[in-house]
Amino acid sequence: MLSVALQALHTLRARRTTLVGSFTALALGVALLTVMGLALASSLEAPPRAPERFVAAPVVVKGADTLRVSTPIGTRTQPLARPRAVPAAVVTELRQLGRVTLDRTFPVRAENAPGDLVGHPWPVAAFASYEIASGRAPRTDREVVVTGSWAEPGRTLRTEHGDVTVVGTVADRGFEHAVFYTAARAARLAPRSTQLVVAARPAAVRNAVRGVPGVQVLTGDGRRLADPDPDRDREALTALNALFGTAGGVTAFVSVFVVASTFAFAVAQRRREFGLLRTAGATPGQLRGTVLAEALLVGALASAAGCALGGYGAPRLARWTVDGGLAPGWFRIGARTWPYGAAFSAGLLVALLGAAAASWRAGRTGPAEALREADVDSRPMTRGRRLCGAGLLVTAAVLPLLDDPGDLLHRKTYVSRPMVLITAVALLSPVLVRPLVGLLTRAPAARLPGATWLLVREHAVAGVRRTAAVAAPVLVTVALTGSLLGATATLNAARAAETRDRTTAAFVLTPPDDAGFDAATLRAARAVPGAEVSGTSASAVYVLEDGVALVRSEARAADPAALAATARLPLAAGRTADLDDGSIIVNEEWERHTVGQRVRVWLGDGTRRTLRVAAVLRTGTGDNGVYITPANASGAAVDRVDVALRDGADAGAVAAGLRKAVRASGGRVRTADQWVAAAHPQSDRTTRLGLLLVLGIALVYTGISLVNTTVMATADRVRELAALRLAGATRAQVLRLVGTEAVTVVAVGALLGLLVAVVELAGMRQALRLLSAPDPVRLPWPALGAATGACAVLAATAAVATAWPAVRRGAAELAGLRQ
């Protein structure tokens, strides 16, 4: 008998379609794993960043911007919501060492100007090595210098701070669009300064600030910490790491799922061949050895090709993420090699496991039994497959019961949970194929003339393995589309409904930037007849949970009486009116959340306080933060004003008065519904692009796999096509039958995928109910329809294109073809 290796090579030559199909599925899967691995490895480190605004500064002194709390397991830190200024006594001492220049940064809005303008005092321009390129330095309150060439000297800028004249320009350094005022004018526009430059020896400066908690002395490369958003690279890496981690997890699942399914189907197609070999005397071990040798050969070649393809595609993925704003401009694919080894090993392992699982059944069947099963799938479900499918189905049902309801709303959970249910349904799909095919074909068969639908039903039921294999990529496509898009849409709708339920305001006023409303604007708004005004500020509160975890909670600072008139807080206990300067409103996620209890907290500026719990909010979707009074959010600007209508007030007149009140500050007046829509959009551009990355890569791969599996399945049916032609069917009828079968199988996969999506969203709805949050369910019907339609077109086109060359031959010629 031929050796295992020679038999494997002979089989590969004889079954080119199966070889190409398995090779394509595995190569693309390894390519995707390589791309995700390279992207993930490259998101672990950021390039070193040099100082920008203070590159020429001798020493920068920065006020406390980090809360540090000692715990039994070490010091825990959190960024302060409101960094502290350098104490006045320290500034006085520093002035004795050398010239002190206070740095100030504030937003500037001007007509026909860049939208990200920031203001600075002119004296700090020298520390960024700015030099006058044209004109001169500002000398009066109405004169400014700008960066770049968007404004020439002599131009008048209309800003919210009044009209100013550009008297000079400096070269654009690439990291900001700045407007420089005189030091006196900048001090009035931004009275608070959190950092300064000292022209003195670093050692002397350190001695001067020694013992002052949190004050930092920055020199050398450390001066970059005084630049705007110094942690942006780290935050960008964290976001990228999460994005590529999620995409990698979804990609790995889809790749392994599709590759294992393709290899199992390729082996299942060869039952006739295995039966003949068993009849000729081949042992089960020889059959398994032959199949594993084939898988090893195809797996090695396809994995190598996939690694090469992934290395080519990874830089293009990086460029796309940069162009789409998902990654910073410096992001590049690094020179790491471990992703290649990991992807190659994974591809080879999946190929061997996929082939081994299918070959085991082929190897243990008897010769006569194998021949009997060659044409009809009489036992498509093995005991092992039933047990695995049932086990995964139970796991998918039990997992939500073990998790906290709040965890079910997290992205990692609603991205990963569908994978278990998808695998379970795919394993059990042969049991579901018959009833679903009957459901889809029974009505058309009864109403339409001809035997097309009858043949579709009988062929699909007779070849259950083939039907399940072709439906598997459709199942993944529809299930992921419905689960991921449906989960994000459901959460968005729940959060928007929750926000709308929390406010009883008729109008909401918002400032044009983070600077908030000034006192004059607030006074003007409160003076509008018929308006009940509640201005709130954004802040934060920190609490030490379990004695070791320093947790930050977003907070709103509000006047209790005004808050009660304009808000309907989702209270689980207590009253909004009981809030005062010595108390706090917390939510159920806090460790201590009983009304009357006292909790030790740190305020947004790091001040330590012990406050009484005045009321407790329900957990909701996680957006229910805490509420404090303005006295516990010192210096926080009012960034939102809710306006309710007093009894008998005219809404139109109040709206007109509010628009007039905020006109000078550039604020906006919206109805409550308009504000909810603006504050909680369906998804922003970055979220959409991120979701496109996660879904797009996986769905493109499943689409290609669908074509691949359809080609393999159709190429294996030459004898069936011959029988139809001999029975009198025309070429058009045979092609129409093949196309209809493909569309029917796609419909089976789509129904199974829809079932998975519905079950997942039902679990999310139950979690929202347990959290006392609105529970709307949003199925993305347009996306589901588009995904199903694309799969139907791909499958029908692939099936007809594969069958066309064979159908063109004569019936007698087809009858003589060997499989």
Side-chain angles (χ1 to χ4, degrees):
M1 194 170 182
L2 293 174
S3 67
V4 170
L6 292 176
Q7 179 64 29
L9 290 174
H10 173 76
T11 304
L12 291 178
R13 287 197 305 269
R15 301 186 66 87
R16 293 184 181 86
T17 302
T18 300
L19 168 63
V20 172
S22 302
F23 182 93
T24 301
L26 184 56
L28 289 174
V30 172
L32 289 180
L33 293 177
T34 303
V35 168
M36 290 297 106
L38 289 171
L40 192 60
S42 301
S43 67
L44 299 178
E45 295 180 0
R49 184 181 290 275
E52 295 173 335
R53 287 196 58 223
F54 298 96
V55 66
V59 181
V60 178
V61 180
K62 188 176 178 66
D65 62 355
T66 303
L67 174 64
R68 301 178 186 277
V69 178
S70 297
T71 72
I73 61 173
T75 301
R76 293 291 177 262
T77 63
Q78 284 280 4
L80 287 173
R82 188 166 178 79
R84 295 178 179 176
V86 180
V90 175
V91 176
T92 300
E93 187 174 350
L94 291 175
R95 292 187 191 278
Q96 298 175 5
L97 302 177
R99 183 168 54 87
V100 172
T101 305
L102 298 179
D103 178 48
R104 307 176 194 276
T105 299
F106 49 92
V108 177
R109 296 181 300 275
E111 296 179 1
N112 301 317
D116 56 351
L117 286 179
V118 292
H120 300 303
W122 172 247
V124 302
F127 302 129
S129 296
Y130 283 122
E131 295 180 355
I132 291 292
S134 62
R136 59 173 175 82
R139 298 170 184 167
T140 69
D141 289 352
R142 297 299 179 182
E143 295 179 345
V144 296
V145 169
V146 302
T147 58
S149 58
W150 60 271
E152 297 294 333
R155 176 179 168 180
T156 298
L157 300 181
R158 297 184 179 277
T159 75
E160 78 276 28
H161 307 304
D163 293 351
V164 293
T165 301
V166 176
V167 296
T169 64
V170 295
D172 187 356
R173 298 296 184 192
F175 58 83
E176 67 177 351
H177 291 110
V179 178
F180 293 98
Y181 291 78
T182 62
R185 178 59 174 164
R188 289 193 294 272
L189 294 176
R192 188 168 179 271
S193 172
T194 60
Q195 57 192 23
L196 51 85
V197 178
V198 184
R201 292 183 299 108
V205 175
R206 290 191 178 93
N207 287 333
V209 304
R210 183 173 292 136
V212 182
V215 174
Q216 306 171 65
V217 177
L218 309 176
T219 60
D221 288 343
R223 293 169 298 179
R224 69 176 184 82
L225 297 177
D227 289 333
D229 195 11
D231 294 329
R232 61 186 180 276
D233 289 347
R234 185 180 64 185
E235 293 169 356
L237 284 182
T238 301
L240 275 179
N241 196 265
L243 173 64
F244 289 133
T246 302
V250 174
T251 299
F253 166 74
V254 173
S255 301
V256 171
F257 181 92
V258 170
V259 169
S261 176
T262 302
F263 268 76
F265 177 54
V267 174
Q269 281 184 306
R270 300 167 57 189
R271 284 166 299 150
R272 180 185 294 275
E273 175 189 332
F274 292 148
L276 292 173
L277 290 174
R278 292 285 284 123
T279 303
T283 66
Q286 288 174 322
L287 289 183
R288 295 178 188 128
T290 299
V291 172
L292 290 176
E294 294 172 6
L296 181 64
L297 180 59
V298 174
L301 294 176
S303 296
C307 287
L309 185 60
Y312 174 80
R316 285 151 182 80
L317 173 66
R319 193 176 306 121
W320 183 84
T321 57
V322 171
D323 293 342
L326 295 174
W330 49 259
F331 180 67
R332 299 288 185 276
I333 297 298
R336 302 293 182 93
T337 57
W338 65 261
Y340 291 101
F344 183 91
S345 301
L348 200 57
L349 180 63
V350 171
L352 291 174
L353 291 177
S359 65
W360 181 261
R361 182 173 185 268
R364 67 186 179 88
T365 55
E369 182 182 358
L371 288 174
R372 283 197 302 270
E373 290 186 4
D375 292 322
V376 178
D377 291 331
S378 60
R379 289 193 305 144
M381 289 286 289
T382 63
R383 181 180 302 174
R385 183 165 182 165
R386 289 179 186 273
L387 289 176
C388 289
L392 287 174
L393 194 61
V394 171
T395 301
V398 171
L399 280 179
L401 303 178
L402 301 178
D403 288 334
D404 183 88
D407 292 338
L408 299 178
L409 306 184
H410 296 163
R411 183 179 63 178
K412 289 183 179 179
T413 304
Y414 67 70
V415 167
S416 60
R417 279 189 59 234
M419 299 178 187
V420 179
L421 189 55
I422 289 172
T423 307
V425 173
L427 289 173
L428 299 175
S429 59
V431 177
L432 304 173
V433 163
R434 286 188 173 92
L436 286 178
V437 170
L439 175 67
L440 292 169
T441 59
R442 186 169 291 110
R447 297 177 183 177
L448 298 178
T452 298
W453 288 104
L454 175 63
L455 291 174
V456 167
R457 182 173 70 244
E458 295 305 320
H459 286 170
V461 170
V464 171
R465 282 198 188 93
R466 180 179 66 237
T467 303
V470 176
V474 184
L475 162 63
V476 177
T477 300
V478 175
L480 286 179
T481 300
S483 298
L484 299 190
L485 295 182
T488 55
T490 297
L491 280 178
N492 284 336
R495 286 169 178 154
E498 189 176 57
T499 302
R500 186 64 187 89
D501 291 344
R502 280 203 305 256
T503 180
T504 58
F507 303 100
V508 178
L509 316 183
T510 53
D513 50 45
D514 295 336
F517 288 117
D518 56 26
T521 300
L522 294 175
R523 285 195 300 270
R526 292 189 177 101
V528 175
E532 183 73 37
V533 174
S534 172
T536 60
S537 309
S539 187
V541 171
Y542 309 86
V543 64
L544 197 63
E545 300 277 3
D546 299 320
V548 294
L550 186 60
V551 179
R552 170 177 171 144
S553 293
E554 300 303 318
R556 301 296 301 180
D559 175 79
L563 179 65
T566 58
R568 187 191 303 110
L569 299 184
L571 295 177
R575 299 188 310 159
T576 303
D578 290 341
L579 178 65
D580 56 31
D581 293 344
S583 64
I584 184 173
I585 297 177
V586 303
N587 58 58
E588 292 175 321
E589 291 183 311
W590 278 47
E591 181 183 12
R592 298 173 67 85
H593 60 268
T594 301
V595 173
Q597 281 185 315
R598 303 192 71 82
V599 293
R600 185 181 64 175
V601 301
W602 288 263
L603 304 179
D605 61 357
T607 302
R608 181 173 168 176
R609 292 289 308 275
T610 299
L611 301 175
R612 174 180 52 83
V613 176
V616 181
L617 301 175
R618 296 187 180 92
T619 302
T621 61
D623 286 347
N624 292 334
V626 303
Y627 286 85
I628 54 179
T629 61
N632 290 321
S634 177
V638 173
D639 61 358
R640 188 178 114 201
V641 177
D642 290 6
V643 181
L645 298 177
R646 293 195 176 99
D647 292 340
D650 179 71
V654 171
L658 294 174
R659 292 189 186 96
K660 183 178 179 180
V662 302
R663 185 175 301 146
S665 65
R668 296 195 61 178
V669 178
R670 296 186 178 97
T671 65
D673 289 336
Q674 290 171 339
W675 174 75
V676 170
H680 293 272
Q682 292 300 307
S683 58
D684 58 25
R685 181 174 178 274
T686 302
T687 301
R688 288 196 302 272
L689 288 175
L691 201 57
L692 176 62
L693 175 65
V694 174
L695 270 177
I697 295 176
L699 299 188
V700 168
Y701 178 48
T702 56
I704 295 174
S705 300
L706 173 62
V707 173
N708 183 39
T709 309
T710 303
V711 169
M712 293 171 61
T714 306
D716 200 49
R717 300 178 58 196
V718 175
R719 288 182 179 273
E720 293 182 23
L721 301 179
L724 289 173
R725 294 284 282 117
L726 288 173
T730 65
R731 295 174 183 174
Q733 288 174 325
V734 173
L735 293 177
R736 184 164 58 248
L737 173 64
V738 170
T740 304
E741 288 181 10
V743 172
T744 302
V745 174
V746 167
V748 170
L751 288 176
L752 293 175
L754 181 61
L755 174 65
V756 170
V758 169
V759 171
E760 290 299 324
L761 294 183
M764 179 171 284
R765 182 177 189 179
Q766 183 61 28
L768 290 170
R769 286 182 175 178
L770 293 175
L771 294 170
S772 302
D775 57 353
V777 172
R778 299 288 186 269
L779 270 170
W781 291 114
L784 289 172
T788 303
C791 288
V793 172
L794 289 174
T797 303
V800 171
T802 305
W804 172 249
V807 173
R808 288 175 57 193
R809 300 168 182 163
E813 184 181 357
L814 282 171
L817 288 175
R818 290 187 307 164
Q819 191 173 9

